[in-house]
Amino acid sequence: MITLHVRGMWVLAAVGVLSLSACGQSGSGSSDGREDAGVTRAGGGPSAAAGGALTVPEDAEPETKNHYLMQNAIAVCMKERGFVYTPVAGVEPSEESDDGEGKDYALAKKYRQKYGFGIHSSVVYPNDPAVVVPEEKTDPNDTYRSSLPAAQQKAYDKALGELKAIYDKDTPQRPPKDGCVAKAELKVLGPVKSKAEQERENAEQQERDRQAGQALNGDPRLVSLAQEYAACLREEGITVTTTQPTGIGDMVKFQVGAQIPSDAEEPDADEARTLLTREIDLALKDLDCGKEFRAAYWPKYEKNPYVGNNG
């Protein structure tokens, strides 16, 4: 498991959704995680810079950049305490293969022609990384820790100070202040925000999201195109449950997913192929009916990013 920092809280992320870096031991020299992070470069996934630190992709999202910097800072801190820590980071998904969302119509069509909405395709294509989450890989730091004598393992854990679990509490747990995880957090993210500060930021984010939803759902052009989109779906015999611009784009996909009972066993390959054939048909009809809508929606969404309840 790998600890990630997300919006002021520590959470555990399975290594299975991350690609382990093959970098070596932690960097030497400066104790500043930012200096040991390596030169940022545009494009591509993480790579090992001089001294074993991860190179931060210049075009990575802010939280991803912070995670890389955190990993590098932890490695430097652990080396100062006599231990090896290998920075581990995730690889961003490739933009070359659209996942079917429709931001690029041609790429989305290519995806949906093979995978539909990506719901039943993992059974039909069990080894395809486009639809199957990679198997969990061994964290090199777990391997290193296991190689240490019992007493040294305890010393390693204390030096790292990693938060092992998150429990439902009013006050989020923090890693031990004297551990390398906490020190890296302070170096990269700054002082921990108070509960009042965090609540204020959350309220501000909710208000921005509310305004973004209003901007999209109240846009006359999007409203008109959503109505045309819905009419086309009805002509194809597809049930329309919402015409809100923020909801109609995922509506058909959600309907297909909702038809799978929560306690249903995974279908065998033959059954999955039959289900996928129907799914592909619906996915392509949905894509074509919403072609003009999506062409107008995504540029406006980029200006008004909405993460609400999708209408």
Side-chain angles (χ1 to χ4, degrees), residues 38-240:
V39 179
T40 58
R41 300 173 184 172
S47 61
L54 293 172
T55 297
V56 185
E58 192 175 73
D59 56 354
E61 293 293 326
E63 287 179 353
T64 300
K65 286 185 178 181
N66 285 340
H67 177 65
Y68 293 168
L69 293 173
M70 285 277 297
Q71 287 288 304
N72 290 339
I74 291 171
V76 171
C77 177
M78 289 296 282
K79 183 176 182 181
E80 292 174 345
R81 299 186 181 192
F83 295 103
V84 173
Y85 182 89
T86 303
V88 180
V91 178
E92 291 297 298
S94 172
E95 293 293 335
E96 295 179 0
S97 58
D98 191 290
D99 62 0
E101 291 295 329
K103 294 181 181 181
D104 183 306
Y105 175 80
L107 289 177
K109 186 170 185 177
K110 182 178 180 181
Y111 178 95
R112 293 192 183 199
Q113 284 174 330
K114 182 175 182 179
Y115 306 115
F117 292 117
I119 296 172
H120 295 103
S121 50
S122 61
V123 179
V124 179
Y125 305 106
N127 300 312
D128 193 327
V131 291
V132 179
V133 176
E135 290 185 7
E136 184 170 324
K137 297 182 180 180
T138 302
D139 185 339
N141 297 300
D142 288 342
T143 302
Y144 168 73
R145 179 186 179 280
S146 297
S147 72
L148 300 173
Q152 284 292 90
Q153 289 183 17
K154 291 182 179 180
Y156 176 94
D157 293 342
K158 182 177 180 180
L160 182 60
E162 185 176 40
L163 187 61
K164 294 298 183 181
I166 292 288
Y167 299 98
D168 292 331
K169 292 186 176 181
D170 293 336
T171 302
Q173 290 182 294
R174 312 301 309 179
K177 292 182 179 180
D178 59 346
C180 285
V181 170
K183 289 184 178 299
E185 179 186 46
L186 179 62
K187 186 180 294 295
V188 175
L189 304 175
V192 177
K193 294 172 183 175
S194 67
K195 183 178 180 180
E197 288 177 311
Q198 190 63 57
E199 289 177 347
R200 183 174 66 251
E201 285 192 4
N202 290 343
E204 291 172 351
Q205 177 56 47
Q206 289 175 2
E207 176 59 21
R208 286 194 295 270
D209 191 52
R210 185 188 67 80
Q211 292 179 6
Q214 286 186 337
L216 295 170
N217 290 324
D219 185 286
R221 176 62 175 160
L222 292 183
V223 170
S224 176
L225 288 173
Q227 292 290 343
E228 294 176 10
Y229 183 1
C232 177
L233 291 175
R234 292 189 184 102
E235 289 178 1
E236 294 290 349
I238 298 173
T239 301
V240 174

Side-chain angles (χ1 to χ4, degrees), residues 253-275:
K253 177 173 67 175
F254 288 163
Q255 287 179 5
V256 174
Q259 292 173 0
I260 304 175
S262 58
D263 58 348
E265 294 183 2
E266 185 176 271
D268 59 29
D270 289 337
E271 184 182 358
R273 288 190 188 93
T274 300
L275 292 170

Side-chain angles (χ1 to χ4, degrees), residues 25-32 35-37 49-53 72 75-76 79-80:
Q25 297 183 358
S26 60
S28 59
S30 168
S31 62
D32 189 333
E35 294 178 13
D36 285 289
N72 290 339
V76 171
K79 183 176 182 181
E80 292 174 345

